Amino acid sequence: PFAYDFSPNAVDMSVFPFGTWRKITKDILSGDRKELFALGEPRGDAEFRKTICRYLHSSRGVNASPEQIIVGAGTELLYHLLIQLLGRDKCYAVEDPGYSKIAAIYESNQVQVQYVGIDEAGLSAAQLRRHLAQVVHISPTHHYPTGTVMPIGRRQELLRWAAEQPERYILEDDYDSEFRFVGRPIPSLYSTDENERVVYLNTFSKTIAPSIRISYMILPPKLLERYREKLGFYACTVSGFEQYTLAKFLEQGYFERHLGRMRNRYRQKRDQVITAFLQGPLAGRVKIPGQDAGLHFLAELQTSLPDDVLQHRAAERGLRLAMLSDYYHDKKGVRQHTLVVNYSGLNLQHLPRALEYLADIIKEG
C-alpha cells in the first residue's frame, strides 16, 4: 500500500447525494414490483434506455433511439461484445500512448492490435492510413493520458477514413466528457457521423461511483441489425434494480444537479492541486501544460533522473507515481519526466507531504 498515490483514477465521493440515492432505492423497494426480480430485457431496461437517450440529446447533442443502446456492466464488457460483433478477423488500432487495458482486452481476445501514435491533435490520421486497421478505438473528447482534445478537423479526417471502406468503424470512448471546464464541449463524433461508422461508448462509473458498473454503447442501425442476429441471445449483465435506481436518479433531475456539484468540486480541487504543484516545494521545477478538461493533468518535472529511478525512489517513501512513459507501447522517443496526475481521488491533506518527498527526490538526482 502507498501512503501517497498520484495514479489511481478514483472518484471524489464527498459530494455524493447519499440521502437521495437512499430515498430512491427505498421508494423502489417499497412497492410490490415483481419486475425487479425478472430477467429483464436483453439490451437493458426500456425506460432506462429512453432516459439515457434524453440525457445524451440534451448534454451531448447525440440523437439515438432506445433500440440502439446496449447496457452492460462496465465498458470492458462492452469491448468484448464489440469484438464478437465486428469480428476477430479485424485489425484493431489503439492510441499510443493510451490506456493500456484497452489493448490488453483486445489482445486477450486473440485479435490483431496495432498501435498508432498521437500528435497535438490526437490520433494521427496519416499514421492510421499506413496501418491495416479496420477498427480504431479513440477517446477524442479527452485523451488519456495526454489530455489532448481532438479538434474538429482531425475528427473529420477520421470520419473520412472510416467511410472509405465498408467494414471500417470508429469506437468513440467518451469516458469523462462531462468534466470539461473551459469553453463549449466539442460535439461527439457519433453526432457528426453521416455514414453510420461510429459506435459511441460511455459509463456512469466516472460520474457517480466506480462500483456502479453501468456503461452503455450506441450502435449505428446497420450494426444493430447484426447485433440482433449474432448476439441477441445475451441477457443484460446489469441488475434491473440498479437500472431502475439510476433511471429515477436521471429522470428526477438529481443526476444533473450532482454533475453540477461534481464539476464545481473538481474545478476547485484541480486548481488547488495545480497551485500546490506550482507554488509548493516543486516551484520552478515543474511545468503543467493544458489544464482545461478531464480528471487528470500532466506535470513536466525538471530532473535528470530516468522515470524508472524516479518511481523506485518515490515508492521507497510510500509515494506512487504514474509516468507518461508508462503508457507508451513504442518506447522510442517517449516523453520522460512527465507525471500523470489523477487529481480526482487525491487526498489534499496528504498532498503537501507528497510534494515535499518528490522535491527531495528530484534534488537528490
Side-chain angles (χ1 to χ4, degrees):
F2 291 87
Y4 315 98
D5 199 339
F6 287 160
S7 64
N9 212 354
V11 172
D12 189 333
M13 296 299 292
S14 64
V15 294
F16 184 77
F18 287 100
T20 299
W21 194 265
R22 189 161 47 244
K23 178 181 180 301
I24 292 174
T25 56
K26 183 179 179 181
D27 290 345
I28 290 174
L29 288 173
S30 64
D32 218 6
R33 304 187 63 170
K34 297 178 181 178
E35 66 270 23
L36 283 175
F37 302 96
L39 185 59
E41 299 179 60
R43 280 171 284 160
D45 176 70
E47 288 303 315
F48 180 43
R49 287 184 283 124
K50 288 179 184 177
T51 304
I52 292 174
C53 285
R54 288 192 290 268
Y55 166 69
L56 288 176
H57 176 73
S58 62
S59 66
R60 296 292 285 129
V62 171
N63 294 313
S65 69
E67 288 73 24
Q68 292 174 257
I69 292 181
I70 312 295
V71 176
T75 49
E76 295 169 15
L77 173 73
L78 298 179
Y79 300 159
H80 288 282
L81 290 178
L82 283 168
I83 292 166
Q84 294 178 62
L85 179 65
L86 299 176
R88 286 186 169 84
D89 58 333
K90 299 282 193 305
C91 177
Y92 292 72
V94 296
E95 298 161 319
D96 188 22
Y99 185 48
S100 59
K101 187 178 284 189
I102 294 171
I105 290 172
Y106 290 140
E107 290 173 342
S108 72
N109 280 274
Q110 292 79 50
V111 300
Q112 184 181 359
V113 175
Q114 293 184 330
Y115 294 82
V116 180
I118 68 168
D119 56 26
E120 67 281 355
L123 183 131
S124 170
Q127 279 198 40
L128 181 62
R129 290 182 181 280
R130 293 196 291 269
H131 287 72
L132 301 174
Q134 296 108 323
V135 182
V136 58
H137 191 134
I138 58 174
S139 49
T141 300
H142 183 234
H143 173 259
Y144 191 87
T146 66
T148 300
V149 179
M150 186 178 287
I152 293 175
R154 178 62 56 83
R155 295 169 186 240
Q156 291 173 341
E157 281 187 76
L158 292 175
L159 288 173
R160 286 194 294 270
W161 168 86
E164 289 170 0
Q165 294 185 18
E167 280 299 305
R168 282 182 176 174
Y169 289 98
I170 299 172
L171 309 183
E172 179 184 15
D173 202 332
D174 211 29
Y175 71 101
D176 72 348
S177 60
E178 290 84 0
F179 300 113
R180 181 173 174 82
F181 302 118
V182 176
R184 294 174 60 86
I186 296 176
S188 67
L189 267 177
Y190 181 90
S191 64
T192 56
D193 174 32
E194 297 178 353
N195 296 293
E196 299 186 2
R197 298 305 179 87
V198 177
V199 176
Y200 179 91
L201 299 113
N202 209 333
T203 179
F204 290 100
S205 296
K206 299 284 185 186
T207 51
I208 298 181
S211 65
I212 302 294
R213 305 301 298 162
I214 302 181
S215 299
Y216 58 91
M217 62 181 174
I218 302 177
L219 298 177
K222 290 180 181 178
L223 282 183
L224 176 61
E225 290 302 316
R226 189 185 302 179
Y227 184 90
R228 286 171 173 158
E229 294 171 5
K230 292 183 64 175
L231 305 176
F233 61 88
Y234 276 118
C236 184
T237 52
V238 180
S239 75
F241 175 71
E242 288 184 311
Q243 293 184 67
Y244 283 122
T245 304
L246 186 50
K248 293 298 180 184
F249 194 65
L250 270 75
E251 287 172 8
Q252 296 173 13
Y254 295 117
F255 183 63
E256 287 288 354
R257 292 195 285 275
H258 173 60
L259 276 182
R261 289 190 296 268
M262 292 290 284
R263 289 189 187 104
N264 290 333
R265 170 62 177 158
Y266 284 142
R267 185 183 293 111
Q268 294 169 2
K269 193 168 188 178
R270 178 204 59 180
D271 292 346
Q272 289 176 285
V273 173
I274 289 174
T275 298
F277 266 83
L278 296 177
Q279 299 180 12
L282 289 172
R285 308 198 68 171
V286 64
K287 179 182 177 182
I288 298 177
Q291 309 166 13
D292 295 339
L295 301 180
H296 75 281
F297 61 83
L298 300 182
E300 299 173 354
L301 302 174
Q302 293 182 16
T303 177
S304 60
L305 289 174
D307 284 358
D308 56 345
V309 174
L310 192 64
Q311 287 175 303
H312 178 71
R313 293 186 182 179
E316 289 178 337
R317 300 193 181 202
L319 171 61
R320 182 162 74 166
L321 303 179
M323 308 303 296
L324 181 60
S325 57
D326 296 336
Y327 294 89
Y328 280 88
H329 176 74
D330 182 359
K331 299 296 184 181
K332 297 178 181 178
V334 301
R335 287 165 61 183
Q336 291 278 323
H337 317 137
T338 302
L339 281 176
V340 180
V341 182
N342 293 290
Y343 65 84
S344 57
L346 274 180
N347 186 321
L348 294 179
Q349 293 180 333
H350 292 170
L351 183 60
R353 177 62 59 85
L355 294 178
E356 287 177 11
Y357 286 157
L358 186 55
D360 289 343
I361 293 167
I362 289 176
K363 290 175 185 176
E364 292 170 3

